[in-house]
Amino acid sequence: MYVDKSSDRGSFGSRLGVILASAGSAVGLGNIWRFPTEVGNNGGAAFIFIYLCFVFLLAMPVMLAEFVIGRGSKANTVGAYRTLAPGKPWIVAGFMGVLGGILVLSFYSVVAGWTLHYTVESVANNLTAGQDFGALFNQFVSNPWKPLIFQILFLLMTHFVVARGVERGIERFSKVMMPVLLVIIVVLMCCSLTMPGAGDGLRYLLRPDFSKVTTGVVLSAMGQAFFSLSVGLGCLATYASYFRPEMPLVSSAFSVCVLDSLVAILSGFIIFPAVFSVPGVSPDAGPGLVYITLPHVFNEAFASLPLLGYLFSGMFYVLLLLAALTSTISMHEIATAFIHENYHLSRQRAAVLVTLICMLLGAACSLSFGPWIDVKIWNRGFFDLFDFLTAKFIMPLGGILITMFVEWYLDRQFVVDQLTNGGTLRVRGLRVLLFLIRWVAPIGVGIVFLNEIAN
Ligand code: PFF
């Protein structure tokens, strides 16, 4: 029998806290590092257009479905299915989410660890001109110990926020850090837009080139939308289980989607004008862009004003670090809430267990860039394998199951009550939203998912 622990569960204190914590989960490395690269390589504004369609037509309905499940059950993602559908196989979606959250945190924390290292190096003024940043990066990531130490430090930072609890840890941290993050974005953008190559950078980012849009590009736009909005793992369902009854679900989900998309697009406004201000630098360096191309750009673009270059570079890596941290605490929370409530361990102990598991699995991911580079499972190193399993498999499948559960299994009135707070809120376009959750999201995601499997 599931024990209702709702009475001693934490809760988010304010609407702002809810939006900033959920947006904190959404805004991460996916926005600042991955999105601009994808846009640049896949047709500029054409990609942005397709991406935005996916955000609002597919990912937002999944987010709403997660909100309904979370707040409607007041339980972690496994407990939610136990409460709402006792004895039914839907619980598999809950377990998949816990596993997915652990796998994402394990590989994501590798890149977050690199970011921590670059933040330290940048603040210590070690990323100075005249160095081969490509060689430096490769030496660092292939070292057996160094990246591991930074990854562990980063996981410990995540751990301490989560262990402090929902209101004192997650909400308080998000309420301080998200505004800081937004301010840094605006400052960096203003700085970037005044650089000499800004016009070319913006053109590269915004020119719609529909000839580049292939099936593969459409698929990656959807994958990017899901990853960026943190949907499909029950992460936002877990957060929603801490929402108060008066919290408006639809407008909150909409605000999170708008904020997340805005940060993604503004990140492009920071990176490409800067990259184009230095002649001979390629804007499509892919994953190396942030760690190899940008340190070079910061030095070259500010050659005559090194202090400004130092500030710009330091602020950029701090931005990336904060964005990563507000996301990793949400991944950590999925499993911590589950273990805490399901096995009746204290929140602190549950958090320790999750951190230790992620350190172990995360070490395998980190080593796959160095000494374990030849260790392959299904032709992939650990980092790529975890990335593949979650982004291509668990998140879309989770999205399909979550929307199907809400619209096909749950009582319609229950769902409407959640979305309208028991009829006290007038929600414009409610029928359209229900239609999106019922048909568009599961079928749309299903088509993309089957396509991926076929490939
Ligand atoms: N949305 C985060 C990003 O864009 O970096 C990543 C993420 C967070 C994925 C939380 C999944 C998750 F549960």
Side-chain angles (χ1 to χ4, degrees), residues 34 103-104 107 227 365 380-393 395:
R34 235 188 93 166
L103 295 182
V104 175
F107 80 81
F227 190 78
C365 295
R380 291 182 166 85
F382 282 101
F383 184 97
D384 290 340
L385 179 71
F386 287 12
D387 180 8
F388 172 79
L389 279 179
T390 48
K392 297 274 156 73
F393 198 76
M395 291 180 97

Side-chain angles (χ1 to χ4, degrees), residues 211-290:
S211 70
K212 282 208 177 152
V213 177
T214 57
T215 333
V217 168
V218 175
L219 295 184
S220 41
M222 197 201 79
Q224 175 66 19
F226 265 58
F227 190 78
S228 187
L229 287 175
S230 316
V231 294
L233 296 180
C235 170
L236 295 172
T238 308
Y239 270 16
S241 72
Y242 307 123
F243 289 4
R244 298 225 168 119
E246 67 274 15
M247 210 60 76
L249 299 189
V250 177
S251 61
S252 303
F254 186 72
S255 309
V256 173
C257 291
V258 170
L259 253 172
D260 187 69
S261 308
L262 203 67
V263 171
I265 294 172
L266 294 187
S267 303
F269 283 17
I270 296 176
I271 292 180
F272 289 108
V275 168
F276 274 85
S277 69
V278 179
V281 173
S282 165
D284 53 4
L289 186 76
V290 162

Side-chain angles (χ1 to χ4, degrees), residues 25-31 104 108 227-230 233 235 327 330-331 334 395:
S25 167
V27 172
L29 297 173
N31 303 60
V104 175
Y108 197 93
F227 190 78
S228 187
L229 287 175
S230 316
L233 296 180
C235 170
S327 293
S330 71
M331 300 167 195
I334 308 175
M395 291 180 97

